[in-house]
């Protein structure tokens, strides 16, 4: 009877004992990778024992650990086709709540120069595999973690023709357009924010740029040298209501027509798309210059790379910082709902249209020879898209230079060959 009693007690003890979970236990194919990450991060001493099997979460797999003596809870995670990574559970929780779509949006930590265990001492964590594209989870000092996209260039642009029409074409259009995605973007433009925007436009870099270009044009082509101010655009050039803010600054030439102008538009999301669009145009009409009826091309002297660089650097700051002041006093503090993309466009609006007296092609409007040797006889337009984190003013010039070089290479401007 005693023997049977002890046997019964042993069986009861076995039934109550929690089953042991192995590192990497779960869907087949993860055990070796999770075991390697476990050992690299310090094994049982640092991570302790698993508290869950491996399960799928968004675009990858996860396993939780209770933490070794004196260590915090941790997670080992792995996106498909990437090495497994060990990360502090508190940072993992932040990563899962950084965006509305959680890991499906931002992706998973991936091995880079990170330590074997990503813990509270880390300030930048490489991420990949999410719908937002490659990015990093970053923080400064003791501030909150923020997601930001990794810098990349592409030729997938879509803002070239927004707010344009065939009836008001000029000879040259330079455009900088920023597409912003913010969480909680449901807001409207009111009177106070319009005053803030107008003040920013007046104090920003664009008026000085327009005056400098106008002075150069005045010296070369007789454009009257006078001061212009920002004004609300008429309805046929841009809307102004709770969702739109549209302004222009014009310098007139022959018959009061616009010879050189700046346009700034800001548009909040609508029910069809979640994107905020901020756009800046610089346009020149050669036929409105006072000497247009005389010399070929109206006496127009081509713009140079320096002119392009000055405009795009000023327009970048205006589109990404000044125009969003229409809805917030702190644009760079907004939580992202996706990557910010800034597009640069050059367009000869009368390209491929026969006309006497002046050129209709970018080659005749802008001297791009410093970017390389052109390989195309006709070049009506050029563009590039730049995905980037918020750029401090000290880095805008360098980023614009890199973007112009990438754009030139993509449109056939070749560097000199050694044997040439």
């Amino acid at each position: 009877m005693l023997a049977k009693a002890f046997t019964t007690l042993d069986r009861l003890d076995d039934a109550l004992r929690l089953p042991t979970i192995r590192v990497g236990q779960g869907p087949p194919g993860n055990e070796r990778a999770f075991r390697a990450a476990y050992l690299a991060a310090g094994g049982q001493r640092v991570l302790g024992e698993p508290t869950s099997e491996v399960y799928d979460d968004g675009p990858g797999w996860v396993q939780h650990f209770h933490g070794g003596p004196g260590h915090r809870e941790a997670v080992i995670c792995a996106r498909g086709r990437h090495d497994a990574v060990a990360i502090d559970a508190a940072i993992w929780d932040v990563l899962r709540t950084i965006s509305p779509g959680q890991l499906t949006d931002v992706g998973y930590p991936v091995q880079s120069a990170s330590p074997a265990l990503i813990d509270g001492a880390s300030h930048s964590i490489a991420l990949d595999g999410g719908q937002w594209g490659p990015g990093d989870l970053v923080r400064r000092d003791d501030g909150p973690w923020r997601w930001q996209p990794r810098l990349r260039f592409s030729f997938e642009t879509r803002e070239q023709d927004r707010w344009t029409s065939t009836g008001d074409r000029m000879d040259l259009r330079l455009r900088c357009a920023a597409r912003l995605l913010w969480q909680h973007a449901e807001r409207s433009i009111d009177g106070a924010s319009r005053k803030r925007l107008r003040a920013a436009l007046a104090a920003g870099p664009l008026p000085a740029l327009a005056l400098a270009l106008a002075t150069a044009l005045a010296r070369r082509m007789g454009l009257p040298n006078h001061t212009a101010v920002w004004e609300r655009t008429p309805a046929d050039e841009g809307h102004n209501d709770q969702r739109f803010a549209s302004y222009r600054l014009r310098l007139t030439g022959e018959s009061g027509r616009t010879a050189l102008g700046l346009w700034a538009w800001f548009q909040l999301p609508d029910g069809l798309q979640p994107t905020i669009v901020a756009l800046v145009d610089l346009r020149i009409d050669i036929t409105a210059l006072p000497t247009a009826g005389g010399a070929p091309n109206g006496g127009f002297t081509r713009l140079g790379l320096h002119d392009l660089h000055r405009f795009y650097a000023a327009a970048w700051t205006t589109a990404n910082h000044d125009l969003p002041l229409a809805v917030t006093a702190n644009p760079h503090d907004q939580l992202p709902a996706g990557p910010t993309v800034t597009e640069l466009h050059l367009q000869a609006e009368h390209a491929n249209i026969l006309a006497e007296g002046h050129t209709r092609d970018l080659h005749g409007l802008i001297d791009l020879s410093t970017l390389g040797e052109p390989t195309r006889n006709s070049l009506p337009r050029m563009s590039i898209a730049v995905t980037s984190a918020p750029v401090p003013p000290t880095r805008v010039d360098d980023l614009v230079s890199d973007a112009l070089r990438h754009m030139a290479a993509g449109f056939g401007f070749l560097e000199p060959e050694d044997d040439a």
Side-chain angles (χ1 to χ4, degrees), residues 270-323:
D270 55 25
L272 300 177
Q273 51 84 33
T275 309
I276 298 170
V277 178
L279 188 151
V280 179
D281 276 358
L282 168 66
R283 303 173 69 198
I284 296 176
D285 188 351
I286 295 173
T287 65
L289 297 173
T291 58
N297 296 327
F300 178 77
T301 303
R302 292 187 299 172
L303 300 183
L305 183 62
H306 176 67
D307 297 317
L308 294 186
H309 189 278
R310 289 187 62 188
F311 166 70
Y312 284 121
W316 187 294
T317 299
T318 303
N320 283 279
H321 181 268
D322 294 348
L323 287 175

Coordinates of all heavy atoms in Angstrom, one line a residue, residues 270-323:
D270 N -7.1 63.7 -47.7 CA -8.6 63.7 -47.8 C -9.0 62.2 -47.6 O -8.2 61.4 -47.1 CB -9.0 64.1 -49.2 CG -8.2 63.4 -50.4 OD1 -7.8 62.2 -50.1 OD2 -8.1 63.9 -51.5
G271 N -10.2 61.9 -47.9 CA -10.7 60.6 -47.7 C -10.2 59.5 -48.6 O -10.3 58.3 -48.4
L272 N -9.4 59.9 -49.7 CA -8.9 59.0 -50.6 C -7.5 58.6 -50.4 O -7.0 57.6 -50.8 CB -9.1 59.6 -52.1 CG -10.5 59.9 -52.5 CD1 -10.6 60.5 -53.9 CD2 -11.4 58.6 -52.5
Q273 N -6.7 59.5 -49.8 CA -5.3 59.3 -49.6 C -4.8 59.9 -48.3 O -5.3 61.0 -47.9 CB -4.4 59.8 -50.8 CG -4.7 61.3 -51.2 CD -4.0 62.3 -50.4 OE1 -2.8 62.0 -50.0 NE2 -4.5 63.4 -50.1
P274 N -3.9 59.3 -47.6 CA -3.5 59.8 -46.2 C -2.3 60.7 -46.3 O -1.8 61.1 -45.2 CB -3.1 58.5 -45.5 CG -2.5 57.6 -46.6 CD -3.3 58.0 -47.9
T275 N -1.8 61.1 -47.5 CA -0.6 61.8 -47.6 C -0.8 63.3 -47.5 O -1.7 63.9 -48.1 CB 0.1 61.5 -48.9 OG1 0.2 60.1 -49.1 CG2 1.5 62.1 -49.0
I276 N 0.1 64.0 -46.7 CA 0.2 65.4 -46.7 C 1.2 65.8 -47.8 O 2.3 65.2 -47.9 CB 0.7 65.9 -45.3 CG1 -0.3 65.6 -44.2 CG2 0.9 67.4 -45.4 CD1 0.2 65.8 -42.8
V277 N 0.9 66.8 -48.6 CA 1.7 67.2 -49.7 C 2.1 68.7 -49.5 O 1.2 69.6 -49.3 CB 1.1 67.1 -51.1 CG1 2.0 67.5 -52.2 CG2 0.7 65.6 -51.3
A278 N 3.4 69.0 -49.5 CA 3.9 70.4 -49.5 C 4.8 70.6 -50.7 O 5.7 69.8 -51.0 CB 4.8 70.6 -48.2
L279 N 4.5 71.6 -51.5 CA 5.1 71.7 -52.8 C 5.6 73.2 -53.1 O 4.8 74.1 -52.7 CB 4.1 71.3 -53.9 CG 4.5 71.1 -55.3 CD1 3.6 70.1 -56.0 CD2 4.3 72.4 -56.0
V280 N 6.8 73.3 -53.7 CA 7.3 74.6 -54.0 C 7.7 74.6 -55.4 O 8.5 73.7 -55.9 CB 8.5 75.0 -53.1 CG1 9.1 76.4 -53.5 CG2 8.1 75.0 -51.6
D281 N 7.3 75.6 -56.2 CA 7.7 75.8 -57.6 C 8.5 77.1 -57.8 O 8.1 78.1 -57.2 CB 6.5 75.8 -58.5 CG 6.0 74.5 -58.9 OD1 6.6 73.5 -58.5 OD2 4.9 74.4 -59.6
L282 N 9.5 77.1 -58.7 CA 10.1 78.2 -59.2 C 9.9 78.2 -60.7 O 10.3 77.2 -61.4 CB 11.6 78.3 -58.9 CG 12.4 79.3 -59.7 CD1 12.0 80.7 -59.3 CD2 13.9 79.1 -59.5
R283 N 9.3 79.2 -61.3 CA 9.0 79.2 -62.8 C 9.5 80.5 -63.4 O 9.4 81.6 -62.8 CB 7.5 79.0 -63.0 CG 6.9 77.8 -62.3 CD 5.4 77.7 -62.4 NE 5.0 77.5 -63.8 CZ 3.8 77.8 -64.2 NH1 2.9 78.3 -63.4 NH2 3.4 77.5 -65.5
I284 N 10.0 80.3 -64.6 CA 10.5 81.4 -65.4 C 9.9 81.4 -66.8 O 9.8 80.3 -67.4 CB 12.1 81.3 -65.6 CG1 12.7 81.5 -64.2 CG2 12.6 82.4 -66.5 CD1 14.2 81.3 -64.2
D285 N 9.4 82.6 -67.2 CA 8.8 82.7 -68.6 C 9.7 83.6 -69.4 O 9.8 84.9 -69.1 CB 7.4 83.3 -68.5 CG 6.7 83.2 -69.8 OD1 7.4 83.0 -70.9 OD2 5.5 83.5 -69.9
I286 N 10.5 83.1 -70.3 CA 11.4 83.9 -71.1 C 10.7 84.9 -71.9 O 11.1 86.1 -72.1 CB 12.2 83.0 -72.0 CG1 13.1 82.1 -71.2 CG2 13.1 83.8 -73.0 CD1 13.9 81.0 -72.0
T287 N 9.5 84.6 -72.4 CA 8.7 85.5 -73.3 C 8.3 86.8 -72.5 O 7.9 87.8 -73.2 CB 7.5 84.9 -73.9 OG1 6.6 84.5 -72.9 CG2 8.0 83.6 -74.7
A288 N 8.3 86.7 -71.2 CA 7.9 87.9 -70.4 C 9.0 88.8 -70.1 O 8.8 89.9 -69.5 CB 7.1 87.4 -69.1
L289 N 10.2 88.4 -70.4 CA 11.4 89.2 -70.1 C 11.4 90.4 -71.1 O 11.0 90.3 -72.2 CB 12.7 88.4 -70.3 CG 12.8 87.3 -69.3 CD1 14.1 86.4 -69.6 CD2 12.9 87.8 -67.8
P290 N 11.8 91.6 -70.6 CA 11.7 92.8 -71.4 C 12.5 92.7 -72.8 O 12.0 93.3 -73.7 CB 12.4 93.9 -70.5 CG 12.1 93.4 -69.1 CD 12.3 91.9 -69.2
T291 N 13.5 92.0 -72.9 CA 14.3 91.9 -74.1 C 13.8 90.7 -75.0 O 14.5 90.3 -75.9 CB 15.8 91.8 -73.8 OG1 16.0 90.6 -73.0 CG2 16.3 93.0 -73.1
A292 N 12.7 90.2 -74.7 CA 12.3 88.9 -75.3 C 12.1 89.1 -76.8 O 12.3 88.2 -77.6 CB 10.9 88.4 -74.8
G293 N 11.7 90.3 -77.3 CA 11.5 90.5 -78.8 C 12.8 90.7 -79.5 O 12.8 90.7 -80.8
G294 N 14.0 90.8 -78.9 CA 15.2 91.1 -79.6 C 16.0 89.8 -79.8 O 15.8 89.1 -80.8
A295 N 17.0 89.6 -78.9 CA 18.0 88.5 -79.2 C 17.3 87.1 -79.1 O 16.2 87.0 -78.6 CB 19.0 88.6 -78.1
P296 N 18.0 86.1 -79.7 CA 17.4 84.7 -79.6 C 17.2 84.3 -78.1 O 18.0 84.7 -77.2 CB 18.5 83.9 -80.2 CG 19.2 84.8 -81.1 CD 19.2 86.2 -80.5
N297 N 16.1 83.6 -77.9 CA 15.8 83.2 -76.5 C 15.6 84.4 -75.6 O 15.7 84.3 -74.4 CB 16.8 82.3 -75.9 CG 17.0 81.0 -76.7 OD1 16.0 80.5 -77.2 ND2 18.2 80.5 -76.8
G298 N 15.2 85.5 -76.2 CA 14.9 86.7 -75.3 C 16.1 87.2 -74.6 O 16.0 87.9 -73.6
G299 N 17.3 86.9 -75.1 CA 18.5 87.3 -74.4 C 18.8 86.5 -73.1 O 19.6 86.8 -72.3
F300 N 18.0 85.4 -72.9 CA 18.1 84.6 -71.7 C 19.4 83.9 -71.6 O 19.9 83.3 -72.6 CB 17.0 83.6 -71.7 CG 17.0 82.6 -70.5 CD1 16.5 83.1 -69.3 CD2 17.4 81.3 -70.6 CE1 16.5 82.2 -68.2 CE2 17.4 80.5 -69.5 CZ 17.0 80.9 -68.3
T301 N 20.1 83.9 -70.4 CA 21.3 83.2 -70.2 C 21.0 82.0 -69.3 O 20.3 82.2 -68.3 CB 22.3 84.1 -69.4 OG1 22.6 85.3 -70.3 CG2 23.6 83.4 -69.2
R302 N 21.4 80.9 -69.7 CA 21.0 79.7 -68.9 C 21.4 79.7 -67.5 O 22.4 80.3 -67.1 CB 21.8 78.5 -69.6 CG 21.3 78.1 -71.0 CD 21.9 76.8 -71.4 NE 23.4 76.9 -71.5 CZ 24.2 75.8 -71.7 NH1 23.7 74.6 -71.9 NH2 25.5 76.0 -71.7
L303 N 20.5 79.1 -66.7 CA 20.8 79.0 -65.3 C 21.9 77.9 -65.1 O 22.1 77.1 -66.0 CB 19.6 78.5 -64.5 CG 18.3 79.4 -64.5 CD1 17.2 78.7 -63.6 CD2 18.6 80.8 -64.0
G304 N 22.6 78.0 -64.0 CA 23.7 77.1 -63.8 C 23.4 76.1 -62.6 O 22.4 76.2 -61.9
L305 N 24.3 75.2 -62.4 CA 24.1 74.2 -61.3 C 24.0 74.9 -59.9 O 23.3 74.5 -59.0 CB 25.2 73.2 -61.3 CG 25.2 72.1 -60.2 CD1 23.9 71.2 -60.5 CD2 26.4 71.2 -60.3
H306 N 24.7 76.0 -59.8 CA 24.7 76.8 -58.5 C 23.3 77.3 -58.3 O 22.8 77.3 -57.2 CB 25.7 78.0 -58.6 CG 25.6 78.9 -57.4 ND1 26.0 78.5 -56.1 CD2 25.2 80.2 -57.3 CE1 25.9 79.4 -55.3 NE2 25.4 80.5 -55.9
D307 N 22.6 77.8 -59.4 CA 21.2 78.3 -59.2 C 20.3 77.2 -58.8 O 19.4 77.4 -57.9 CB 20.8 78.9 -60.6 CG 21.6 80.1 -61.0 OD1 21.9 81.0 -60.1 OD2 21.9 80.2 -62.2
L308 N 20.4 76.0 -59.4 CA 19.6 74.9 -59.1 C 19.8 74.5 -57.6 O 18.9 74.3 -56.8 CB 20.0 73.6 -59.9 CG 19.6 73.7 -61.4 CD1 19.9 72.3 -62.0 CD2 18.2 74.1 -61.6
H309 N 21.1 74.5 -57.2 CA 21.4 74.0 -55.8 C 20.8 75.0 -54.8 O 20.2 74.6 -53.8 CB 22.9 74.0 -55.6 CG 23.3 73.3 -54.3 ND1 23.4 74.1 -53.2 CD2 23.6 72.1 -54.0 CE1 23.7 73.3 -52.2 NE2 23.9 72.1 -52.7
R310 N 20.9 76.3 -55.1 CA 20.3 77.3 -54.2 C 18.8 77.2 -54.0 O 18.3 77.3 -53.0 CB 20.7 78.7 -54.6 CG 22.2 79.1 -54.5 CD 22.4 80.5 -54.8 NE 21.7 81.4 -53.9 CZ 21.6 82.7 -54.1 NH1 22.1 83.3 -55.1 NH2 20.9 83.5 -53.2
F311 N 18.2 77.0 -55.2 CA 16.7 76.8 -55.1 C 16.3 75.6 -54.3 O 15.4 75.7 -53.5 CB 16.1 76.8 -56.5 CG 14.7 76.3 -56.5 CD1 13.7 77.1 -56.0 CD2 14.3 75.1 -56.9 CE1 12.3 76.7 -55.9 CE2 13.0 74.6 -56.9 CZ 12.0 75.5 -56.4
Y312 N 16.9 74.4 -54.7 CA 16.4 73.2 -54.1 C 16.7 73.2 -52.6 O 16.0 72.6 -51.8 CB 17.0 72.0 -54.8 CG 16.3 71.7 -56.1 CD1 17.0 71.7 -57.3 CD2 14.9 71.5 -56.1 CE1 16.4 71.5 -58.5 CE2 14.3 71.3 -57.4 CZ 15.0 71.3 -58.5 OH 14.4 71.0 -59.7
A313 N 17.9 73.8 -52.2 CA 18.2 73.8 -50.7 C 17.1 74.7 -50.0 O 16.7 74.3 -48.9 CB 19.6 74.4 -50.5
A314 N 16.8 75.8 -50.6 CA 15.8 76.7 -50.0 C 14.4 76.0 -50.0 O 13.6 76.1 -49.0 CB 15.7 78.0 -50.7
A315 N 14.0 75.4 -51.1 CA 12.7 74.8 -51.3 C 12.6 73.6 -50.4 O 11.5 73.3 -49.9 CB 12.5 74.4 -52.7
W316 N 13.7 72.8 -50.2 CA 13.6 71.6 -49.3 C 13.2 72.0 -47.9 O 12.3 71.4 -47.3 CB 15.0 71.0 -49.3 CG 15.0 69.7 -48.6 CD1 14.8 69.4 -47.2 CD2 15.3 68.4 -49.1 NE1 14.9 68.1 -46.9 CE2 15.2 67.4 -48.1 CE3 15.5 67.9 -50.4 CZ2 15.4 66.1 -48.3 CZ3 15.8 66.6 -50.6 CH2 15.7 65.7 -49.6
T317 N 13.8 73.1 -47.3 CA 13.5 73.6 -46.0 C 12.1 74.1 -46.0 O 11.3 73.8 -45.0 CB 14.5 74.7 -45.6 OG1 15.8 74.1 -45.6 CG2 14.1 75.2 -44.2
T318 N 11.7 74.8 -47.0 CA 10.3 75.4 -47.1 C 9.3 74.3 -47.1 O 8.3 74.3 -46.4 CB 10.1 76.3 -48.3 OG1 11.1 77.3 -48.2 CG2 8.8 76.9 -48.3
A319 N 9.5 73.2 -47.9 CA 8.5 72.2 -48.1 C 8.4 71.3 -46.9 O 7.3 70.8 -46.5 CB 8.8 71.3 -49.3
N320 N 9.5 71.0 -46.2 CA 9.6 70.0 -45.1 C 9.4 70.7 -43.8 O 9.0 70.0 -42.8 CB 10.9 69.2 -45.1 CG 10.9 68.2 -46.2 OD1 10.4 67.1 -46.0 ND2 11.6 68.5 -47.3
H321 N 9.6 72.0 -43.7 CA 9.4 72.6 -42.3 C 8.5 73.8 -42.4 O 7.5 73.8 -41.6 CB 10.8 73.1 -41.8 CG 10.7 73.7 -40.5 ND1 10.5 75.1 -40.3 CD2 10.7 73.2 -39.2 CE1 10.4 75.4 -39.0 NE2 10.5 74.2 -38.3
D322 N 8.6 74.7 -43.3 CA 7.8 76.0 -43.2 C 6.4 75.7 -43.6 O 5.5 76.2 -42.9 CB 8.4 77.0 -44.2 CG 9.8 77.5 -43.7 OD1 10.2 77.2 -42.6 OD2 10.5 78.2 -44.5
L323 N 6.1 75.0 -44.7 CA 4.7 74.8 -45.1 C 3.9 74.0 -44.1 O 2.7 74.3 -43.8 CB 4.7 74.2 -46.5 CG 5.0 75.1 -47.6 CD1 5.1 74.4 -49.0 CD2 4.0 76.3 -47.7

